Amino acid sequence: MTLSPAARIALRVVMFLGLAVVYVPLLVVLVNSFNADSAFGWPPSGFTGRWWSQALHNEGAREAVLTSVKAGLGATAVALVLGSMAASAVSRYRFFGRETVSLVVVLPIALPGIVTGIALSNAFQVVLKPLGVGLGLFTVIVGHATFCVVTIFNNVLARLRRTGTSLEEASADLGADTFQTFWHVTFPALRSALLAGGLLSFALSFDEIIVTTFTAGPGAQTLPIWIFSNLFRPNQAPVVNVLAAALIVLSVIPIWIAQRLSSGARGVA
């Protein structure tokens, strides 16, 4: 289908407007993190790096970043195990309820975060609280893993379906057992998919706030919750802006790397 010059220009204008709505506010946050004015007047009266120094020496901010990193790594590890196992079962075996398993695994990322958060909070209060386990880092990791597992599942499932079973069958014919086939044939084919899915999972976990609000408790304050809690405190406004800028960068980099890995894998296949 060919488009007229006017239609192409209109599509480009709409595309640039859409991108501007998404990325101009992010650019403003990045610029304001160097704004010399503590009230963040616009345009900036000057530029300074002292807010970044203050953020680096802010104990609460450092603890929040460390908590977010722990939660992201924990949720990603859980998602890698469960997501790859579920994808292998769905891709390689036929059994009753296979499509239902796929739906159940993918559903958490489609549900509103507040619904997932309330459901998890109620479940933790009913199941874990009688056992003496309160809300904290563990419950945050479990909560984040519920939606992080989807990225691993989708990436691994797509890769397994694309590679097929011929190499695994040839390995078995040559005398390799199940573990040898997995380690020397299946796992190398899945490495980039697992890495891309893991990076996406970590990025999703690192900046998640809705589910975290219901599952964290007072002892596990992640970076997004710390930012939200200090957003309207006058003395913390510059530090909050710096951390928001850092959060943007830390979220974009893993997603960009994952996209590059996925694109490269598609090219090879």
Side-chain angles (χ1 to χ4, degrees):
M1 183 179 66
T2 58
L3 297 175
S4 64
R8 287 198 296 269
I9 293 174
L11 287 175
R12 288 182 183 137
V13 169
V14 172
M15 180 188 70
F16 283 120
L17 286 176
L19 292 175
V21 169
V22 175
Y23 290 105
V24 168
L26 300 181
L27 182 61
V28 171
V29 171
L30 291 172
V31 172
N32 259 339
S33 67
F34 297 97
N35 193 341
D37 185 2
S38 61
F40 298 125
W42 193 267
S45 59
F47 295 95
T48 179
R50 65 190 178 105
W51 307 129
W52 287 82
S53 178
Q54 286 188 15
L56 184 63
H57 293 89
N58 189 295
E59 184 177 354
R62 291 203 308 268
E63 290 180 356
V65 171
L66 182 60
T67 301
S68 288
V69 171
K70 290 179 180 178
L73 292 176
T76 300
V78 173
L80 282 170
V81 174
L82 298 182
S84 57
M85 291 175 65
S88 298
V90 170
S91 174
R92 293 295 188 254
Y93 301 97
R94 295 185 177 274
F95 53 90
F96 176 77
R98 185 176 65 165
E99 299 302 324
T100 303
V101 170
S102 297
L103 176 63
V104 169
V105 172
V106 176
L107 188 60
I109 205 169
L111 291 174
I114 192 170
V115 175
T116 303
I118 292 173
L120 288 171
S121 179
N122 290 336
F124 292 150
Q125 294 294 330
V126 172
V127 177
L128 297 182
K129 191 173 182 179
L131 300 177
V133 180
L135 298 180
L137 182 60
F138 172 75
T139 54
V140 171
I141 291 175
V142 173
H144 288 190
T146 58
F147 56 83
C148 287
V149 69
V150 180
T151 61
I152 307 296
F153 176 81
N154 286 337
N155 276 23
V156 174
L157 183 62
R159 182 63 54 83
L160 287 173
R161 286 176 173 172
R162 187 159 61 245
T163 56
T165 60
S166 57
L167 293 177
E168 296 172 354
E169 292 171 353
S171 175
D173 289 341
L174 292 173
D177 57 29
T178 302
F179 178 78
Q180 290 174 323
T181 298
F182 171 79
W183 186 251
H184 295 289
V185 178
T186 307
F187 180 68
L190 295 179
R191 269 191 303 227
S192 60
L194 290 170
L195 182 57
L199 290 170
L200 287 173
S201 296
F202 182 82
L204 284 174
S205 173
F206 196 85
D207 64 1
E208 210 290 323
I209 187 170
I210 300 177
V211 173
T212 311
T213 302
F214 289 93
T215 59
Q221 190 177 54
T222 61
L223 181 58
I225 291 182
W226 188 92
I227 290 175
F228 185 76
S229 301
N230 291 271
L231 185 61
F232 301 106
R233 295 181 180 178
N235 295 333
Q236 294 286 2
V239 176
V240 167
N241 224 41
V242 169
L243 290 175
L247 191 59
I248 292 171
V249 175
L250 291 173
S251 298
V252 168
I253 290 176
I255 295 174
W256 179 79
I257 295 175
Q259 191 271 339
R260 297 288 295 177
L261 288 172
S262 298
S263 299
R266 284 196 297 267
V268 172

